[in-house]
Amino acid sequence: GGAYSTNGGANWTPLNSRPFCSGHGTGFGDPVVYYDIEHSKWVAIFLASGCGGQGIGVWFSTDGITWTVGPCAHSGGGDDRESGWVDNNPASPYYGDQYVSWNNFSVGGGALYVAKSTDGGLNWGAPVQLNPAFIRDVQITTGPNGYVYVAAMNEGGGGLGGPRTNVIYRSTN
Protein backbone atom coordinates (compact mmCIF):
# COMPACT_ATOMS: atom_id res chain seq x y z
CA GLY A 1 0.00 0.00 0.00
CA GLY A 2 0.94 3.59 0.42
CA ALA A 3 -0.45 7.02 1.20
CA TYR A 4 -0.02 10.59 -0.02
CA SER A 5 -0.24 14.05 1.50
CA THR A 6 -1.18 17.31 -0.18
CA ASN A 7 -0.53 19.52 2.86
CA GLY A 8 3.09 18.92 3.85
CA GLY A 9 2.38 15.74 5.79
CA ALA A 10 -0.26 17.11 8.19
CA ASN A 11 -2.82 14.63 6.77
CA TRP A 12 -2.47 11.46 4.71
CA THR A 13 -4.82 9.73 2.28
CA PRO A 14 -4.40 5.97 1.66
CA LEU A 15 -3.84 4.71 -1.88
CA ASN A 16 -6.92 2.50 -1.76
CA SER A 17 -6.25 1.10 -5.23
CA ARG A 18 -3.13 -0.70 -3.89
CA PRO A 19 -1.11 0.05 -7.04
CA PHE A 20 2.03 -1.75 -5.87
CA CYS A 21 0.17 -5.07 -5.45
CA SER A 22 -0.40 -5.49 -9.18
CA GLY A 23 1.52 -5.38 -12.42
CA HIS A 24 4.56 -7.29 -11.17
CA GLY A 25 2.86 -10.24 -9.48
CA THR A 26 2.98 -10.41 -5.70
CA GLY A 27 4.62 -7.47 -3.96
CA PHE A 28 7.06 -8.44 -1.21
CA GLY A 29 7.64 -4.96 0.23
CA ASP A 30 10.93 -3.16 0.88
CA PRO A 31 9.62 0.10 -0.64
CA VAL A 32 11.84 2.76 -2.14
CA VAL A 33 10.34 6.06 -3.39
CA TYR A 34 12.05 9.08 -4.94
CA TYR A 35 11.18 12.01 -7.20
CA ASP A 36 13.02 12.40 -10.53
CA ILE A 37 13.14 16.14 -11.33
CA GLU A 38 14.45 15.77 -14.89
CA HIS A 39 11.71 13.34 -15.91
CA SER A 40 9.02 15.00 -13.71
CA LYS A 41 7.85 11.82 -12.01
CA TRP A 42 7.78 9.81 -8.83
CA VAL A 43 9.41 6.38 -8.93
CA ALA A 44 8.54 3.53 -6.56
CA ILE A 45 10.58 0.33 -6.33
CA PHE A 46 9.45 -2.84 -4.55
CA LEU A 47 10.49 -6.48 -4.40
CA ALA A 48 8.14 -8.35 -6.74
CA SER A 49 7.45 -11.96 -7.75
CA GLY A 50 6.83 -10.99 -11.39
CA CYS A 51 10.45 -9.93 -11.76
CA GLY A 52 12.03 -13.37 -11.77
CA GLY A 53 10.52 -14.75 -8.56
CA GLN A 54 11.89 -12.10 -6.20
CA GLY A 55 13.31 -9.28 -8.28
CA ILE A 56 12.90 -5.52 -8.32
CA GLY A 57 9.75 -3.97 -9.84
CA VAL A 58 9.31 -0.30 -10.77
CA TRP A 59 6.16 1.92 -10.80
CA PHE A 60 5.77 5.56 -11.97
CA SER A 61 3.53 8.49 -11.05
CA THR A 62 3.38 12.13 -12.10
CA ASP A 63 1.30 13.15 -9.07
CA GLY A 64 2.11 10.59 -6.35
CA ILE A 65 -1.52 9.44 -6.40
CA THR A 66 -2.05 7.51 -9.65
CA TRP A 67 0.62 4.91 -10.42
CA THR A 68 1.45 2.89 -13.53
CA VAL A 69 3.55 -0.23 -13.83
CA GLY A 70 7.06 0.21 -15.18
CA PRO A 71 9.73 -2.37 -15.98
CA CYS A 72 11.66 -4.71 -13.75
CA ALA A 73 14.87 -2.98 -12.68
CA HIS A 74 16.24 -6.49 -12.09
CA SER A 75 14.80 -9.96 -12.61
CA GLY A 76 16.11 -12.26 -9.93
CA GLY A 77 15.08 -15.03 -7.58
CA GLY A 78 16.75 -13.80 -4.41
CA ASP A 79 16.89 -9.99 -4.45
CA ASP A 80 16.47 -8.16 -1.13
CA ARG A 81 17.45 -5.01 0.82
CA GLU A 82 17.20 -2.71 -2.22
CA SER A 83 17.94 0.99 -2.11
CA GLY A 84 17.27 3.60 -4.81
CA TRP A 85 18.28 7.10 -5.79
CA VAL A 86 18.14 9.60 -8.63
CA ASP A 87 20.78 12.25 -9.40
CA ASN A 88 18.67 15.42 -9.14
CA ASN A 89 21.60 17.85 -9.45
CA PRO A 90 21.24 19.75 -12.77
CA ALA A 91 24.99 20.51 -12.71
CA SER A 92 25.89 16.81 -12.57
CA PRO A 93 27.02 15.06 -15.76
CA TYR A 94 24.59 12.27 -14.77
CA TYR A 95 21.55 14.45 -14.05
CA GLY A 96 18.38 12.34 -14.11
CA ASP A 97 20.17 8.98 -13.93
CA GLN A 98 18.50 6.53 -11.54
CA TYR A 99 20.25 3.88 -9.48
CA VAL A 100 19.22 0.83 -7.49
CA SER A 101 21.46 -1.29 -5.25
CA TRP A 102 20.55 -4.61 -3.61
CA ASN A 103 21.72 -7.88 -2.17
CA ASN A 104 21.23 -10.88 -4.46
CA PHE A 105 20.92 -13.93 -2.20
CA SER A 106 21.04 -16.24 -5.24
CA VAL A 107 24.72 -15.30 -5.68
CA GLY A 108 27.45 -15.75 -3.07
CA GLY A 109 25.02 -15.76 -0.14
CA GLY A 110 24.00 -12.15 -0.84
CA ALA A 111 26.33 -10.52 -3.36
CA LEU A 112 25.99 -6.74 -3.61
CA TYR A 113 24.84 -5.26 -6.95
CA VAL A 114 23.95 -1.93 -8.60
CA ALA A 115 21.96 -1.18 -11.77
CA LYS A 116 21.50 2.15 -13.54
CA SER A 117 18.85 3.75 -15.75
CA THR A 118 19.66 6.72 -17.98
CA ASP A 119 16.14 7.19 -19.43
CA GLY A 120 13.89 7.89 -16.45
CA GLY A 121 13.67 4.29 -15.27
CA LEU A 122 12.23 2.89 -18.50
CA ASN A 123 15.27 0.66 -19.13
CA TRP A 124 17.88 -0.63 -16.68
CA GLY A 125 21.45 -1.57 -17.51
CA ALA A 126 23.10 -4.86 -16.67
CA PRO A 127 23.81 -5.23 -12.95
CA VAL A 128 27.32 -4.45 -11.74
CA GLN A 129 28.61 -6.60 -8.88
CA LEU A 130 30.25 -4.60 -6.09
CA ASN A 131 31.02 -7.52 -3.79
CA PRO A 132 30.81 -11.26 -4.57
CA ALA A 133 29.64 -12.32 -1.09
CA PHE A 134 27.25 -10.92 1.52
CA ILE A 135 27.86 -7.39 2.68
CA ARG A 136 24.61 -5.67 3.64
CA ASP A 137 23.30 -3.00 1.26
CA VAL A 138 22.42 0.11 3.27
CA GLN A 139 21.91 3.12 0.96
CA ILE A 140 22.85 4.39 -2.49
CA THR A 141 23.24 8.11 -3.21
CA THR A 142 25.06 10.56 -5.47
CA GLY A 143 27.43 13.40 -4.74
CA PRO A 144 27.35 16.91 -6.27
CA ASN A 145 29.86 15.83 -8.96
CA GLY A 146 27.73 12.86 -10.10
CA TYR A 147 29.78 10.22 -8.29
CA VAL A 148 27.67 7.33 -7.00
CA TYR A 149 28.16 6.09 -3.43
CA VAL A 150 26.88 2.86 -1.92
CA ALA A 151 27.00 2.57 1.85
CA ALA A 152 27.20 -1.05 3.00
CA MET A 153 27.96 -2.96 6.18
CA ASN A 154 30.16 -5.97 6.74
CA GLU A 155 28.34 -7.61 9.63
CA GLY A 156 31.30 -9.77 10.64
CA GLY A 157 29.40 -13.03 10.23
CA GLY A 158 25.97 -11.72 11.17
CA GLY A 159 24.01 -11.60 14.37
CA LEU A 160 24.91 -9.30 17.23
CA GLY A 161 28.22 -10.93 18.18
CA GLY A 162 30.44 -10.15 15.21
CA PRO A 163 32.34 -6.91 14.68
CA ARG A 164 30.69 -4.64 12.13
CA THR A 165 32.51 -2.49 9.61
CA ASN A 166 30.94 0.22 7.49
CA VAL A 167 32.05 0.17 3.85
CA ILE A 168 31.65 2.79 1.09
CA TYR A 169 31.81 1.97 -2.61
CA ARG A 170 32.31 4.84 -5.07
CA SER A 171 31.86 5.06 -8.82
CA THR A 172 32.93 8.03 -10.89
CA ASN A 173 30.87 6.99 -13.92
Side-chain angles (χ1 to χ4, degrees):
Y4 64 92
S5 175
T6 59
N7 61 5
N11 301 95
W12 292 87
T13 302
L15 293 169
N16 291 324
S17 65
R18 304 284 187 236
F20 312 117
C21 293
S22 63
H24 285 302
T26 302
F28 296 129
D30 280 1
V32 173
V33 179
Y34 52 83
Y35 186 76
D36 180 339
I37 294 172
E38 181 185 21
H39 299 99
S40 303
K41 64 182 171 186
W42 291 95
V43 179
I45 297 173
F46 286 80
L47 296 176
S49 68
C51 294
Q54 185 168 321
I56 301 170
V58 180
W59 287 259
F60 301 118
S61 177
T62 57
D63 60 8
I65 300 169
T66 303
W67 293 84
T68 58
V69 178
C72 294
H74 181 251
S75 289
D79 296 350
D80 201 9
R81 300 278 314 144
E82 75 279 10
S83 168
W85 191 260
V86 61
D87 188 338
N88 277 326
N89 178 359
S92 168
Y94 305 106
Y95 177 57
D97 287 1
Q98 297 180 20
Y99 305 90
V100 63
S101 59
W102 70 95
N103 288 111
N104 183 344
F105 286 95
S106 296
V107 177
L112 183 59
Y113 283 89
V114 171
K116 175 180 176 178
S117 172
T118 59
D119 62 1
L122 298 175
N123 295 285
W124 291 83
V128 174
Q129 187 182 81
L130 301 184
N131 198 71
F134 179 71
I135 184 166
R136 184 174 299 280
D137 182 40
V138 176
Q139 180 65 46
I140 191 166
T141 191
T142 54
N145 53 5
Y147 290 5
V148 179
Y149 299 92
V150 176
M153 181 187 301
N154 182 338
E155 296 181 342
L160 299 175
R164 295 174 179 230
T165 304
N166 293 321
V167 179
I168 297 290
Y169 295 89
R170 179 186 74 171
S171 173
T172 59
N173 64 0

